[in-house]
Amino acid sequence: MRISVIGCGYLGTVHAAAMASLGHDVVGIDVDRRKIAELAEGRAPFYEADLPRLLDEETRSGRLRFTTDFAAATGAAVHFICVGTPQRAGDDAADMAFVNAAVDALVPHLSPGDVVAGKSTVPVGTVAALRERIDATGATLVWNPEFLREGRAVQDTVAPDRLVVGIPDGADGERAGDRLREVYAQARARGGPVRGTPGATTELVKIAANAFLATKISFINAMSEIAEVAGADVAELADAIGCDPRIGRSFLNAGIGFGGGCLPKDIRAFAARAEELGTGHSTRFLREVDAINLRRRDHTADLVADALGDVAGRRVTVLGAAFKPNSDDVRDSPALDIAARLRSLGALVTVTDPEAIGNARRVHPELSYEPHLETALLGAHAVLVATEWEQYRHLDPERARELASGRVIVDGRNCLDADAWYAAGWDCIRMGRPALRHPAEERVLVGAGTL
């Protein structure tokens, strides 16, 4: 089937490549000429596992091409809208400018019987607001939200755990539903069920899911704050309550909090939209979810400073810049935020990351970056694990001790073998868990201070 994908950012590029890999004839369209030139050569403009291979194979096969010309959408049976909905400048609401611009540019190229499928995360009410423009062309508008996990986005597209589609009532809606079932035939065979829901419900599904996940993360981080004061272990707490199938263990890992381009802005947009609808009291709790999450960043910087006694002039190595492993995405990254806060306290901060240094440097050019892990560790008085890349999880504490000057490691993701680090002579500071510290007389002297 011929498919157009409007918007070739993270979502659109993955979706276009995955649809081509399922055998469809796909054109990706975006206004960014440099991005399109890179994609046309089969190169991914961001890091995502398995995407470079897919782009290379599908552009070579001819099933996938990219252009800035919206006229290339003419003749496609299904048009996916995959543009971003960032937080609007000046308030918490979602900025719909890209969605509206995409629809305006696409409308002249639609034909009766076409299906326009929105995948962007949008405020409830968006479908109703857009429908008149789409209906006037004889095309049918449906909403089909994405549920991608960065680092697993290709897999989540070709073998999704569920497909949610909001289709209108009537014959046109039935035809649109049949068309999408055809598009996703292979994905449905590999993945989970298809759920057809009313339009407003479909708009709520993605943002409600993100709100729930954010709430679960902030809940365990709030418990972490209590555990630290009470002398409890938040990981054991999470294991115990996670045994209850009504709660579950996933997303109950205490740490420095969530970031990225979805959860933070989505919960703010959700709360803002609820207020516009006169139901702001229903999402008021999301303000506290957001506050708990942001508080983790100050708390982590304080843990590093407290462990060193005086952070000013001390060398701190931050392991990780991306908001999560297996990604180069630094949007609202807790790791970079904490690094900047430590720098503001006078620390000499070095950030390292396997993939995200280029993006990080554009956001925080004032920080120092080192791509090589061992070089980044040289002379460090303290080390902070801020992104749980596998190479950081399995870092040899003995080798790290040879490179560093100090013996303080702050495990911001609770992902290390703390006993192994302690046995190697490190003071291991954990999130919501008892710290493992050596007696003062056993600590290594560094300069005039005692670590």
Side-chain angles (χ1 to χ4, degrees):
M1 185 180 297
R2 288 191 62 188
I3 290 172
S4 78
V5 175
I6 312 302
C8 296
Y10 180 84
L11 167 61
T13 298
V14 171
H15 193 70
M19 291 298 100
S21 76
L22 295 177
H24 300 295
D25 179 11
V26 183
V27 59
I29 305 173
D30 198 287
V31 297
D32 187 330
R33 293 185 179 278
R34 189 164 73 172
K35 184 194 301 179
I36 288 297
E38 194 170 358
L39 288 168
E41 294 178 0
R43 293 185 287 116
F46 53 85
Y47 178 78
E48 174 62 37
D50 209 33
L51 181 61
R53 177 190 63 79
L54 217 58
L55 281 173
D56 180 65
E57 290 178 357
E58 300 308 325
T59 52
R60 287 177 182 273
S61 74
R63 284 190 296 268
L64 177 63
R65 60 193 179 93
F66 294 93
T67 181
T68 59
D69 184 4
F70 275 80
T74 303
V78 179
H79 310 268
F80 287 99
I81 297 177
C82 298
V83 296
T85 53
Q87 188 171 328
R88 194 165 63 195
D91 61 34
D92 290 341
D95 186 345
M96 295 295 292
F98 297 115
V99 172
N100 288 320
V103 170
D104 288 342
L106 179 62
V107 158
H109 308 290
L110 294 177
S111 300
D114 285 3
V115 176
V116 178
K119 296 196 71 67
S120 305
T121 303
V122 296
V124 62
T126 298
V127 172
L130 296 177
R131 176 152 285 143
E132 184 176 347
R133 278 184 279 172
I134 302 298
D135 286 352
T137 69
T140 302
L141 176 65
V142 303
W143 218 260
N144 171 217
E146 55 86 11
F147 299 95
L148 306 185
R149 295 165 292 175
E150 291 196 35
R152 291 181 52 85
V154 171
Q155 180 67 18
D156 287 344
T157 305
V158 300
D161 57 9
R162 80 280 205 195
L163 285 162
V164 177
V165 182
I167 58 177
D169 294 330
D172 288 343
E174 289 181 13
R175 283 192 292 270
D178 290 341
R179 187 72 57 81
L180 281 179
R181 279 187 282 273
E182 184 180 349
V183 168
Y184 286 125
Q186 288 191 53
R188 289 165 56 211
R190 300 174 183 178
V194 178
R195 304 193 67 86
T197 64
T201 304
T202 306
E203 292 166 317
L204 281 171
V205 167
K206 173 60 185 298
I207 204 158
N210 280 354
F212 185 84
L213 295 176
T215 301
K216 200 170 181 182
I217 296 168
S218 282
F219 170 82
I220 201 63
N221 279 331
M223 295 303 101
S224 176
E225 295 175 0
I226 297 170
E228 287 180 9
V229 175
D233 188 319
V234 75
E236 293 184 6
L237 171 67
D239 288 341
I241 66 175
C243 290
D244 187 331
R246 297 170 299 175
I247 297 174
R249 183 61 178 83
S250 64
F251 281 77
L252 283 181
N253 296 312
I256 64 176
F258 56 80
C262 292
L263 262 60
K265 64 99 174 172
D266 283 355
I267 61 173
R268 294 166 194 157
F270 196 6
R273 181 57 175 153
E275 289 167 4
E276 292 173 354
L277 294 172
T279 58
H281 55 279
S282 301
T283 56
R284 198 167 295 144
F285 72 97
L286 291 177
R287 302 295 187 187
E288 184 57 26
V289 167
D290 195 19
I292 292 169
N293 186 58
L294 294 176
R295 194 161 66 229
R296 300 303 290 171
R297 305 178 184 194
D298 281 326
H299 179 65
T300 305
D302 290 342
L303 283 179
V304 176
D306 290 346
L308 288 174
D310 181 7
V311 74
R314 298 300 184 94
R315 292 185 292 276
V316 178
T317 296
V318 177
L319 304 184
F323 87 95
K324 66 177 294 186
N326 304 314
S327 172
D328 64 353
D329 192 344
V330 299
R331 290 175 293 177
D332 204 2
S333 168
L336 285 180
D337 199 353
I338 294 164
R341 292 175 195 221
L342 287 167
R343 182 180 182 275
S344 72
L345 295 174
L348 306 176
V349 180
T350 298
V351 179
T352 188
D353 191 283
E355 298 291 342
I357 286 179
N359 289 339
R361 200 187 300 275
R362 284 188 282 274
V363 177
H364 283 283
E366 78 281 5
L367 294 172
S368 296
Y369 298 94
E370 172 50 59
H372 302 291
L373 176 56
E374 291 204 346
T375 305
L377 290 170
L378 280 175
H381 297 118
V383 178
L384 167 64
V385 180
T387 310
E388 63 273 37
W389 286 91
E390 280 298 304
Q391 49 265 63
Y392 304 155
R393 293 168 61 96
H394 301 295
L395 179 61
D396 181 358
E398 296 285 355
R399 177 57 179 159
R401 180 174 178 170
E402 294 173 2
L403 297 166
S405 295
R407 300 292 179 265
V408 171
I409 184 149
V410 177
D411 185 1
R413 295 296 185 177
N414 284 346
C415 64
L416 300 179
D417 182 345
D419 291 334
W421 283 83
Y422 179 75
W426 292 81
D427 285 355
C428 192
I429 314 300
R430 302 180 288 179
M431 312 299 285
R433 311 187 69 185
L436 302 181
R437 301 178 188 270
H438 292 273
E441 61 271 16
E442 295 181 10
R443 297 181 186 175
V444 179
L445 292 177
V446 179
T450 300
L451 296 182

